[in-house]
Amino acid sequence: MSWHSHTSEKFIIGNGTRQVSILSPYLFTCYVRPLIRAVVQSRLGCNNGGLVVNILAYADDMIILAPSWYAMQDLLKILEMHCHKLDIICNTKKTVCMMFKPIRKACIVSQAFPPFTLNNDGLCYVCEFRYLGHIINDRLQDDCDIRREIRSLFARTILLINKFGNCSYAVKKLLFKSYCLCMYNLALWKYYSVTVFNKFKSCYNRCVKIFFGFYRVTLC
């Protein structure tokens, strides 16, 4: 084991799996399946066309959905109970709550709710949160995530220029496709302002011109 330029003596690991092991995702899925099943079978959640949706899971990143404060607290109790059975600890410092207001103002019950509790710790409310790289806010708008992608695209382009600015056109084209066009969450953008989206298009055109050395008036 290496830590701060120091290497320990060899030792045997008696349990667990390696992080890069092929079996790790499969075993983890089997491990948390009872927890996910318990949340789903509770039938507490948001009704989407007759289908109750109350949990979204990607590895150990989970989102719990509920239409009311009491339903959410009951789901958190179920989560806490099964985490205790599986000897899993929920990191309450990284667990946050977000409240989505209904479109119709007449359906708003209250502007503020008491904090939820998980493992006897209060959870804080946030206006936006990053989940799997995508920024979600309580207004269900994608402007914040588009601005994040603009900053990221500029940063990746400048990094490539500093390291590979003198490469051939073919090499630079391959690098730009590989590292600057990796916008896997672009298909999720649905609700955004025209101004912010135009800034994103302008950012893309500018990055192409800067990286490949085109004139400023060149059409991309």
Side-chain angles (χ1 to χ4, degrees):
M1 179 177 179
S2 298
W3 178 258
H4 288 275
S5 302
H6 297 283
T7 304
S8 68
E9 297 180 356
K10 294 182 178 180
F11 57 92
I12 299 175
I13 300 177
N15 57 1
T17 58
R18 293 182 295 108
Q19 189 172 3
V20 296
S21 173
I22 299 176
L23 279 176
S24 297
Y26 175 77
L27 294 176
F28 181 80
T29 302
C30 296
Y31 188 65
V32 299
R33 189 174 296 164
L35 186 153
I36 297 175
R37 185 185 297 114
V39 174
V40 172
Q41 292 178 348
S42 68
R43 304 295 295 174
L44 297 172
C46 300
N47 190 319
N48 185 11
L51 177 65
V52 177
V53 180
N54 54 15
I55 185 170
L56 305 175
Y58 185 86
D60 59 342
D61 292 322
M62 298 184 183
I63 290 181
I64 296 179
L65 305 172
S68 66
W69 188 93
Y70 291 101
M72 175 60 74
Q73 187 60 66
D74 289 341
L75 288 176
L76 290 176
K77 289 180 181 179
I78 295 174
L79 176 68
E80 181 179 343
M81 179 180 64
H82 281 79
C83 283
H84 180 72
K85 291 181 179 179
L86 297 174
D87 196 19
I88 299 176
I89 298 176
C90 293
N91 191 340
T92 54
K93 293 182 179 179
K94 294 183 178 180
T95 304
V96 296
C97 304
M98 186 179 296
M99 179 178 62
F100 301 97
K101 298 179 181 179
I103 299 177
R104 295 175 57 188
K105 293 184 178 180
C107 298
I108 298 178
V109 178
S110 175
Q111 297 291 344
F113 294 91
F116 296 100
T117 57
L118 181 63
N119 297 330
N120 296 323
D121 292 332
L123 304 179
C124 64
Y125 289 91
V126 296
C127 296
E128 65 178 39
F129 185 73
R130 177 177 292 188
Y131 181 68
L132 302 180
H134 186 84
I135 297 179
I136 305 172
N137 58 34
D138 56 359
R139 301 180 305 278
L140 294 178
Q141 294 180 345
D142 297 310
D143 289 355
C144 294
D145 195 65
I146 294 176
R147 293 190 184 98
R148 176 202 58 78
E149 189 61 47
I150 290 174
R151 295 191 297 268
S152 178
L153 182 56
F154 267 126
R156 295 195 299 266
T157 301
I158 297 302
L159 180 64
L160 289 178
I161 290 175
N162 293 334
K163 290 189 175 183
F164 308 101
N166 296 324
C167 293
S168 64
Y169 178 81
V171 173
K172 293 172 71 173
K173 182 179 178 181
L174 179 61
L175 290 172
F176 193 84
K177 285 184 176 180
S178 301
Y179 294 98
C180 295
L181 298 183
C182 300
M183 306 173 189
Y184 72 96
N185 60 341
L186 186 142
L188 299 176
W189 295 345
K190 186 176 182 181
Y191 303 107
Y192 50 82
S193 62
V194 177
T195 302
V196 175
F197 191 73
N198 286 338
K199 288 182 179 179
F200 172 73
K201 293 192 294 184
S202 176
C203 166
Y204 172 80
N205 290 332
R206 186 177 177 186
C207 288
V208 171
K209 293 175 183 178
I210 292 175
F211 187 65
F212 291 99
F214 297 148
Y215 292 108
R216 187 173 182 180
V217 296
T218 305
L219 297 178
C220 294

